[in-house]
Amino acid sequence: MDNYFSSLGVQDQFISILKKQDINSPTPIQSKTIPEALQRRDILGIAPTGTGKTLGFLIPIMSFLLVSSREHCLILVPTRELGIQIIAEFEKINKFDKRINSALIIGGEPQSRQIKQLSRSPQLIVGTPGRVNDLLGQGKLLLHNFNLLILDETDRMLDMGFSIQIEKIIKFLPEKRQTLLFSATFPDQIKKIANSYLKEPFVVNLNHENHLSKDISQELKRVGTGEKYDVLDYELQERDGTVLIFVKTKRGAEKITYRLRRGKHSVDTIHGDLRQNKREKVIARYREMKFRILVATDVASRGLDIPHIDHVINYDLPQCPEDFVHRIGRTARAGAKGKALTFITPDDDYLWGKINKIVKIEKIDRVRNSKGKVKPNKKKPSWLKKRELKRKKRSTA
């Protein structure tokens, strides 16, 4: 409804652009954040992925950038994929005007190309904390006049250990600025950052007690460790539509992809060892449905916006419990229905207990057991003990 966007304070030119993209009414996160952001308020937005928050902050900041060349915005993101996605959304809106110059500052790409972008004095910069810090240290990036700051998927940035980098970056920004912080979850760390960086923020919390979309049909399946692949192969043959499979390690992703190809499945993979241009090509081919199955590590659990994903399969549980929500959120996008299947081995019981404290799955469509009885193992796995010990050391350092 054009009038509804108008009532939020959105300019007619943006309404026209959105209409050409078949976006006729705002999502809940957009209807709450856009008018407050246009009033120059700091915002703390807690909302699951796939709820439309990117447009929720792009529309107001672009309104400011178009009015004055003195306005500058920095958007920090946890991954290269999310940065590319945000720039793509920005260009969809900006292509009808092209007055706003932008730069994408991410790892995995040549610094020389990014330095060239910065030499054009962009009003909008989207970047990952590591690369932004590198260019700040070299004196190639100046942020003293960037009066708008967006922290997107902040919980993910903290999980990836970027808290120190974010703190360093913010020191280069003017103290008088507008800050919008978005997160899919609301742990104590996010509350602490919000108290440090936001001034009297408008708070939007769209998370419900059960963080999972009602449009996603959940299924848990207990399997023995040695039979996981055979069960996966069976499930893939039984299901129609596109599939996204999450595994724990890069080696695991390559191994499963190899076995699936030998089994005549149409499949490819993305993980952290692939060069950025290779990852982009794989994602583009998957988006165009050139193959059916994508095997991925958690590099794809956020920022991967592909509407046609019908099934998400958690072959391995995520090491970070909060990532379960982000993985599942890759399906049932834009009002579609989706299905999620999660394998639980005896060694997974402790971790699944931690995950279920967050997602609180009380009713599951089907719970099926594999052949024979699987004895639960509620002891904490050794790999999890080591990871928690490393986190504890970092926090006390």
Side-chain angles (χ1 to χ4, degrees):
M1 292 185 299
D2 292 4
N3 288 338
Y4 192 9
F5 268 118
S6 295
S7 69
L8 301 180
V10 178
Q11 299 171 9
D12 290 341
Q13 68 184 87
F14 288 119
I15 293 173
S16 176
I17 291 169
L18 294 173
K19 191 174 181 180
K20 289 177 182 178
Q21 299 177 44
D22 292 324
I23 301 173
N24 298 308
S25 60
T27 66
I29 189 70
Q30 292 164 7
S31 64
K32 291 179 181 294
T33 57
I34 289 173
E36 299 298 331
L38 287 171
Q39 294 299 314
R40 296 283 188 171
R41 291 194 65 179
D42 285 3
I43 291 175
L44 171 60
I46 310 299
T49 57
T51 51
K53 59 180 171 51
T54 301
L55 278 180
F57 61 72
L58 275 181
I59 289 173
I61 65 170
M62 289 181 71
S63 299
F64 299 143
L65 298 180
L66 283 171
V67 168
S68 172
S69 60
R70 294 183 179 181
E71 303 276 357
H72 293 79
C73 178
L74 171 67
I75 302 176
L76 289 178
V77 297
T79 64
R80 296 175 283 189
E81 285 72 23
L82 183 55
I84 293 167
Q85 179 185 318
I86 290 174
I87 282 290
E89 288 294 318
F90 160 76
E91 288 176 348
K92 285 180 186 177
I93 304 173
N94 193 50
K95 70 179 180 180
F96 296 99
D97 196 302
K98 295 186 178 179
R99 276 187 288 165
I100 304 173
N101 193 13
S102 66
L104 179 61
I105 309 300
I106 56 175
E109 294 286 339
Q111 285 195 14
S112 57
R113 187 186 306 165
Q114 297 173 0
I115 292 171
K116 188 175 180 180
Q117 291 180 50
L118 293 175
S119 68
R120 299 172 185 151
S121 302
Q123 279 185 273
L124 175 71
I125 294 177
V126 180
T128 49
R131 180 55 60 90
V132 169
N133 259 302
D134 286 346
L135 294 177
L136 281 171
Q138 296 174 37
K140 303 295 184 181
L141 172 59
L142 301 175
L143 296 176
H144 61 279
N145 60 345
F146 277 68
N147 59 328
L148 297 163
L149 171 65
I150 312 292
L151 299 171
D152 197 13
E153 298 201 352
T154 311
D155 51 348
R156 180 65 165 170
M157 286 196 280
L158 297 181
D159 288 341
M160 295 172 70
F162 286 138
S163 58
I164 294 175
Q165 287 93 328
I166 292 171
E167 187 176 339
K168 287 180 179 178
I169 292 167
I170 289 178
K171 289 180 180 178
F172 284 89
L173 294 165
E175 188 174 340
K176 188 177 180 180
R177 65 175 185 273
Q178 181 182 10
T179 305
L180 280 62
L181 186 157
F182 293 91
S183 175
T185 58
F186 198 30
D188 289 339
Q189 275 185 298
I190 295 296
K191 296 174 185 176
K192 185 178 179 181
I193 281 192
N195 289 334
S196 299
Y197 301 145
L198 305 183
K199 297 176 181 178
E200 300 180 359
F202 175 75
V203 180
V204 181
N205 191 340
L206 297 186
N207 271 353
H208 305 291
E209 194 167 324
N210 186 341
H211 299 272
L212 303 178
S213 168
K214 294 178 181 178
D215 292 327
I216 302 174
S217 172
Q218 293 285 336
E219 180 183 349
L220 299 184
K221 186 161 186 168
R222 285 197 172 279
V223 297
T225 304
E227 62 184 0
K228 279 175 78 174
Y229 179 79
D230 290 337
V231 177
L232 173 66
D233 186 46
Y234 169 80
E235 291 290 342
L236 291 173
Q237 294 180 48
E238 290 293 302
R239 294 166 185 261
D240 295 321
T242 52
V243 184
L244 175 59
I245 302 172
F246 281 107
V247 297
K248 186 165 62 176
T249 65
K250 304 165 192 172
R251 184 178 178 185
E254 293 284 359
K255 184 177 179 181
I256 289 173
T257 302
Y258 173 76
R259 294 186 71 178
L260 289 174
R261 281 177 178 156
R262 290 194 63 183
K264 308 301 181 184
H265 290 284
S266 175
V267 60
D268 210 332
T269 184
I270 59 169
H271 53 70
D273 276 355
L274 294 181
R275 293 180 63 87
Q276 180 64 23
N277 60 352
K278 170 65 174 175
R279 285 159 68 175
E280 289 176 22
K281 288 178 182 177
V282 172
I283 292 172
R285 290 183 66 245
Y286 186 55
R287 184 175 281 112
E288 295 167 4
M289 302 182 74
K290 300 290 186 182
F291 58 93
R292 178 188 173 220
I293 302 165
L294 178 64
V295 180
T297 56
D298 277 310
V299 71
S301 66
R302 301 199 192 201
L304 186 63
D305 189 10
I306 298 175
H308 66 66
I309 297 175
D310 299 299
H311 306 270
V312 170
I313 298 179
N314 288 303
Y315 187 84
D316 298 320
L317 290 182
Q319 297 185 31
C320 177
E322 288 82 2
D323 281 344
F324 184 86
V325 178
H326 310 311
R327 287 181 174 190
I328 299 301
R330 297 309 99 201
T331 188
R333 309 287 284 187
K337 301 288 184 181
K339 293 184 178 181
L341 169 64
T342 299
F343 291 165
I344 302 178
T345 69
D347 289 335
D348 290 330
D349 282 82
Y350 176 83
L351 185 52
W352 174 248
K354 295 189 73 172
I355 292 171
N356 209 25
K357 284 182 180 178
I358 295 173
V359 297
K360 299 178 182 177
I361 301 178
E362 297 175 0
K363 183 180 178 182
I364 302 162
D365 294 334
R366 289 180 295 158
V367 180
R368 301 188 300 180
N369 292 313
S370 58
K371 301 173 184 178
K373 293 183 178 180
V374 181
K375 185 179 179 182
N377 179 3
K378 295 188 177 181
K379 291 184 179 179
K380 188 181 294 189
S382 58
W383 64 264
L384 185 58
K385 289 180 181 178
K386 290 178 182 178
R387 182 170 63 83
E388 290 180 346
L389 183 60
K390 285 182 180 180
R391 281 189 175 182
K392 189 175 182 180
K393 286 181 178 179
R394 284 201 301 267
S395 64
T396 55

